[in-house]
Amino acid sequence: MLREMKYAFKAILIFTIILGFGYTFFITVFASLLFNRQANGSIISGENGKKGSVLIGQKFTVPRYFHPRPSNAGSKGYDPTASGGSNLAPTNRKLIDNVKSNLEQVLKDNPGFKPEDIPVDAVTSSASGLDPHISIENAKIQAPRVAKARNLDLSVVHYLINNNTDKPLLFVQGEPGVNVLQLNLELDKVSKDISNERR
Amino acid sequence: MKTLDVFQLLFFTGVLIVCSLPLGLYIKKVFCREATLFDFILKPVEKFIYRLMGINADAQMRWTQYAFALLSFNIAGGILLYLLLRLQNLLPLNPGSFSGMSPDLAFNTAISFVTNTNWQAYAGESTLGYLAQMAGLTVQNFLSAATGIAVAIALMRSFSGKESGTIGNFWFDATRSVLWILLPLSLIFSIVFVWQGVPQNFNKPVSIKTLEGVEQSIPQGPVASQEAIKIIGTNGGGFFNANSAHPYENPTPLASFLQVFAILIIPAALCTTFGKMMKDRRHGLVLLGAMLLLFITGVCLVTHFENAGNPEIAKILHRTSVPQMEGKEVRFGIGASSLYSVVTTSASCGAVNSMHDSFTPLSGMILMLNIGIGEIIFGGVGAGFYGIILFALLTVFIAGLMVGRTPEYLGKKIEAFEIKMVMLGVLVIPVLVLILTALSVSIDPGKAGISNPGPHGLSQVLYAYLSASGNNGSAFAGLSANTFFYNLLLGLTMLIGRFGVIIPVIAIAGAIASKKIVPVSNGTFPTTGIMFAGLLTIIILMVGALTFFPVLSLAPVAEHLKMMNGVLY
């Protein structure tokens, strides 16, 4: 009996070395050689340092940026140290109240639209609270506002939306999504190029 | 369901079945000591491990010895993991400077990972350092999966053996599971996941200023290596709180597809292994057929209910119906989220790419039933296989009663001792779940954790005990489970739910192994045809439905009726 316990502890120690350390370090080295950018968190760097991660959503509130979905990560939303969803049940009054107030905000931000125009992802919160995407319809209702705030042609904004849409492969379930951070970064770049030209 | 959804589901199922066949044959070779592709590198490692341990891996064990070795292995793993979690503040590789876990949380978490449950009462990104994740959790992800495979293989061996009374060597089975099966698959999937965007580094959290000038701190870590075995070993414990909904754990639809594939591949392959070991493919195919029938039905129903959504939200948006997108990610949408939820509850995985707590009530019910019938639709690695064998034995027993003949399965007589053990194994989960749910919703420490009022509150508690006893690990995550009460009770539930099934199964294996094979005669109930598959499916559904019907009607069914009538709590 004691003998089996001794074997067991030895086995656990051996496997901890092989699997806990050997395997993890091997993958780390191999991954950083093959896919360095992804292995380090897909971080986007700009002129003034790191701008964020392609995969991690950010909070946007001003009119000249596209806004992400409502978020329950942290008290203010989009806090990567506190990922998670609302976990509200379909019959929870809070869920319905949240949807209503989210809708009000969306309608206020994007004048000229009615409730039936608003896609459902714009008024519901994501599972991770860090969803980097919005649906294409969600981007389209925001496009006029962004174009106006930046004094850009609407077709330019639509072009950029299309450029920043990630589509799933044909045989694989999933939906197309517009990457909000990438789209906003490109908008900033376009706006800057235009103002440089004018100068 | 849209046509595209149906097409994609069939594509997924097809790929799964096709890939499971060669893997199943490979697994058979591994455990029957036949030559395989990786022998040249793995055999020396294997020998070295046995020498370090000082054991003779050729020694054949009786079922009691096998069970004892298995328990020792799990106890040792549990103790080491508990210490790692408690003492992580004193150990290196903890860039977030997290403190050690409290005793009750560490107790719960250690049991959770040793039993292949991976119930998480903590949030990874704000609780655990890299050392605890890699040397603690990752290791147990491998070893608990290996334990499951070992039991399944021992059971198969007992049916094919002739009056030997022994069922193999636990150390041999566990070591081979890790080296030949889990490790190669994990290496491949880790790299593919990194390619898709899952991080793998030892960096500090990245501090950035968002475009609007807000500070954001993005946690990093060796995620991909843990993600791979989390999925392949049907463990399901996420590196981050949001699990596979987190864009770092599951960045793309393709990654999600590969995850559901990897969750089911070993469980599906074990059916082929079984058929091959019994020298009759049909024995495995019959089990696979019953599983597929239940699986596809589940996926279609959940997809339908999630597309139909919540009428209250549709009303606000002035539409007749909108899909249920609360707690789901845009990149997965309804289709990939529904598929993932059914896969993770069919297998005892418990990883989630959407928040089950916010699913429509009837979808939630299907997920609960998947766990409640014992996770035998594919099931956990190993666990799913021995789970469905319990039901197969029950089926031949009931068929035997109907015709008044001693039941046989695969040429072995099934007698009183085996049926007693089968009943123990089948009843452990319902008894634990129903009693503890009733207790928890009756007393204050239990009620305190409930976050959603109305019938959904009961669902939350019910789901927690189902998940713990079925060693699933997913949750209706609104439940505040990190309390002394829930840590303790759910910890014990996981322990009993795991070993309360494994030990009867090993006992059955022992008894079967010492029986002689009786030749097939006219009176033998055939266990390879559609008749058997149908009867098996009916018995699985009957046991599950009858056991849980009362409580399900009080929880998800009641909630569904309220939701359709616009009642809010």
Side-chain angles (χ1 to χ4, degrees):
Chain A
M1 190 169 156
L2 218 65
R3 213 184 47 187
E4 290 291 333
M5 269 323 276
K6 203 178 78 190
Y7 293 154
F9 272 106
K10 277 192 195 165
I12 296 288
L13 288 177
I14 295 166
F15 281 124
T16 303
I17 292 165
I18 299 178
L19 304 170
F21 294 92
Y23 161 73
T24 310
F25 287 131
F26 176 79
I27 297 288
T28 311
V29 171
F30 207 62
S32 75
L33 291 175
L34 277 179
F35 306 106
N36 196 293
R37 186 178 55 83
Q38 292 99 315
N40 287 300
S42 310
I43 304 291
I44 312 171
S45 294
E47 294 154 23
N48 318 316
K50 293 168 181 160
K51 299 289 184 194
S53 166
V54 186
L55 295 173
I56 304 292
Q58 288 184 7
K59 196 172 179 177
F60 292 99
T61 50
V62 297
R64 70 172 191 284
Y65 284 127
F66 278 88
H67 298 173
R69 299 178 65 191
S71 159
N72 276 289
S75 52
K76 291 179 185 147
Y78 288 94
D79 177 357
T81 61
S83 64
S86 72
N87 286 315
L88 293 172
T91 50
N92 194 328
R93 192 179 302 278
K94 271 189 214 149
L95 173 68
I96 305 303
D97 290 345
N98 287 352
V99 171
K100 280 182 186 155
S101 71
N102 292 337
L103 178 66
E104 261 171 45
Q105 187 67 42
V106 174
L107 292 175
K108 204 176 102 193
D109 289 343
N110 306 290
F113 288 101
K114 294 195 280 296
E116 51 267 43
D117 304 323
I118 308 301
V120 66
D121 70 293
V123 296
T124 51
S125 58
S126 62
S128 63
L130 305 172
D131 197 341
H133 294 108
I134 53 178
S135 66
I136 297 175
E137 301 77 45
N138 187 349
K140 286 203 169 137
I141 58 159
Q142 299 189 44
R145 176 197 81 222
V146 174
K148 195 176 157 213
R150 290 181 178 262
N151 219 350
L152 283 173
D153 204 62
L154 189 59
S155 63
V156 174
V157 178
H158 275 152
Y159 172 78
L160 290 179
I161 290 175
N162 195 27
N163 246 0
N164 288 289
T165 304
D166 300 322
K167 294 191 183 83
L169 301 171
L170 177 64
F171 298 114
V172 170
Q173 279 184 323
E175 301 291 332
V178 181
N179 189 305
V180 179
L181 176 60
Q182 274 189 327
L183 173 59
N184 285 336
L185 278 167
E186 279 199 19
L187 278 166
D188 275 357
K189 197 161 151 269
V190 170
S191 298
K192 202 172 143 201
D193 288 349
I194 290 174
S195 67
N196 281 346
E197 262 173 45
R198 283 188 189 139
R199 212 176 288 151
Chain B
M1 275 174 95
K2 288 176 281 184
T3 342
L4 188 63
D5 281 335
V6 177
F7 174 69
Q8 285 168 330
L9 173 61
L10 292 178
F11 176 72
F12 167 72
T13 320
V15 171
L16 179 73
I17 300 303
V18 168
C19 294
S20 76
L21 298 176
L23 181 63
L25 297 180
Y26 169 77
I27 294 176
K28 191 253 171 187
K29 283 184 187 166
V30 169
F31 290 103
C32 294
R33 299 170 191 261
E34 291 164 31
T36 68
L37 197 60
F38 305 114
D39 285 357
F40 73 98
I41 176 158
L42 292 178
K43 268 201 169 155
V45 180
E46 183 194 21
K47 256 192 200 144
F48 184 64
I49 292 176
Y50 297 152
R51 191 175 320 144
L52 276 182
M53 283 173 64
I55 57 158
N56 170 16
D58 295 329
Q60 296 297 302
M61 295 177 166
R62 308 192 69 79
W63 78 266
T64 41
Q65 292 168 304
Y66 198 96
F68 197 76
L70 180 145
L71 287 178
S72 314
F73 188 55
N74 281 271
I75 292 169
I79 292 174
L80 198 76
L81 179 54
Y82 178 83
L83 292 176
L84 265 174
L85 296 171
R86 290 278 288 143
L87 304 175
Q88 66 161 340
N89 52 331
L90 308 174
L91 298 168
L93 284 175
N94 181 7
S97 307
F98 300 126
S99 52
M101 271 190 181
S102 66
D104 58 317
L105 183 57
F107 166 81
N108 182 285
T109 308
I111 289 182
S112 169
F113 278 76
V114 168
T115 56
N116 200 264
T117 313
N118 303 32
W119 172 265
Q120 294 175 292
Y122 63 93
E125 60 265 54
S126 57
T127 318
L128 285 185
Y130 300 159
L131 187 77
Q133 296 262 27
M134 61 189 253
L137 305 187
T138 301
V139 173
Q140 278 308 322
N141 277 350
F142 275 100
L143 301 186
S144 62
T147 301
I149 297 179
V151 176
I153 295 294
L155 186 58
M156 290 181 200
R157 228 180 249 135
S158 72
F159 279 105
S160 65
K162 293 177 187 76
E163 296 176 72
S164 59
T166 58
I167 55 173
N169 184 301
F170 174 72
W171 304 113
F172 173 84
D173 291 345
T175 308
R176 289 226 152 187
S177 302
V178 170
L179 293 181
W180 266 262
I181 301 167
L182 299 170
L183 194 56
L185 284 172
S186 300
L187 289 170
I188 298 168
F189 276 95
S190 302
I191 297 296
V192 175
F193 286 152
V194 175
W195 166 54
Q196 285 295 299
V198 181
Q200 177 73 17
N201 60 53
F202 286 89
N203 304 343
K204 282 200 189 103
V206 177
S207 295
I208 55 135
K209 255 206 168 83
T210 67
L211 300 192
E212 291 194 354
V214 185
E215 301 280 344
Q216 203 186 30
S217 165
I218 308 178
Q220 302 289 316
V223 186
S225 54
Q226 189 170 331
E227 193 67 21
I229 186 61
K230 151 189 150 182
I231 295 299
I232 291 159
T234 61
N235 292 284
F239 198 93
F240 302 108
N241 188 43
N243 208 300
S244 277
H246 197 293
Y248 266 171
E249 287 201 25
N250 194 358
T252 61
L254 180 61
S256 194
F257 178 89
L258 291 172
Q259 292 195 358
V260 280
F261 171 80
I263 290 171
L264 295 185
I265 186 70
I266 295 180
L270 283 174
C271 293
T272 303
T273 309
F274 179 59
K276 187 77 185 167
M277 274 202 176
M278 297 305 120
K279 301 194 174 64
D280 186 347
R281 281 267 183 99
R282 289 174 304 169
H283 288 296
L285 288 177
V286 138
L287 300 182
L288 199 61
M291 290 172 175
L292 274 175
L293 180 67
L294 291 167
F295 172 71
I296 290 184
T297 314
V299 178
C300 291
L301 286 173
V302 171
T303 312
H304 168 76
F305 291 130
E306 292 310 283
N307 266 320
N310 183 341
E312 279 305 293
I313 296 183
K315 226 183 275 170
I316 298 170
L317 294 174
H318 296 188
R319 264 165 263 180
T320 48
S321 81
V322 291
Q324 167 53 38
M325 277 302 284
E326 178 73 22
K328 291 194 180 66
E329 302 278 297
V330 165
R331 63 190 179 283
F332 305 136
I334 298 297
S337 301
S338 303
L339 175 67
Y340 206 112
S341 71
V342 175
V343 166
T344 198
T345 49
S346 299
S348 74
C349 184
V352 295
N353 79 351
S354 53
M355 293 301 150
H356 294 181
D357 215 349
S358 297
F359 273 40
T360 53
L362 293 183
S363 298
M365 181 174 82
I366 290 165
L367 305 184
M368 286 192 252
L369 263 177
N370 272 344
I371 306 177
I373 59 175
E375 289 163 336
I376 38 84
I377 311 174
F378 297 107
V381 288
F385 175 78
Y386 61 67
I388 202 158
I389 290 293
L390 291 182
F391 275 101
L393 292 178
L394 194 59
T395 306
V396 291
F397 173 65
I398 290 171
L401 285 182
M402 288 195 266
V403 295
R405 199 171 183 281
T406 310
E408 293 160 19
Y409 188 53
L410 304 166
K412 302 263 185 169
K413 277 205 158 63
I414 307 301
E415 291 163 303
F417 176 77
E418 290 84 62
I419 290 301
K420 277 185 204 156
M421 289 296 136
V422 166
M423 288 323 293
L424 256 182
V426 170
L427 286 178
V428 158
I429 291 179
V431 168
L432 274 175
V433 170
L434 295 177
I435 292 178
L436 291 176
T437 303
L439 174 78
S440 298
V441 295
S442 317
I443 58 174
D444 286 334
K447 282 188 279 187
I450 295 173
S451 71
N452 282 306
H456 197 87
L458 176 58
S459 294
Q460 285 188 308
V461 177
L462 177 64
Y463 197 106
Y465 285 109
L466 277 167
S467 174
S469 65
N471 300 128
N472 186 280
S474 65
F476 275 10
L479 185 78
S480 311
N482 186 13
T483 60
F484 184 77
F485 176 80
Y486 277 117
N487 278 336
L488 187 71
L489 275 192
L490 289 169
L492 292 173
T493 308
M494 290 186 262
L495 209 55
I496 302 171
R498 176 77 166 174
F499 298 106
V501 180
I502 281 187
I503 293 172
V505 167
I506 300 181
I508 292 171
I512 298 277
S514 49
K515 285 173 198 268
K516 60 171 185 276
I517 294 180
V518 281
V520 179
S521 70
N522 275 341
T524 310
F525 177 60
T527 52
T528 48
I530 295 198
M531 166 85 145
F532 179 71
L535 198 58
L536 176 63
T537 312
I538 289 169
I539 285 179
I540 289 168
L541 287 177
M542 250 178 20
V543 171
L546 288 180
T547 322
F548 293 108
F549 179 73
V551 67
L552 288 175
S553 58
L554 286 174
V557 176
E559 194 192 4
H560 173 75
L561 297 174
K562 297 284 184 186
M563 180 180 86
M564 297 316 280
N565 286 312
V567 180
L568 297 178
Y569 294 91

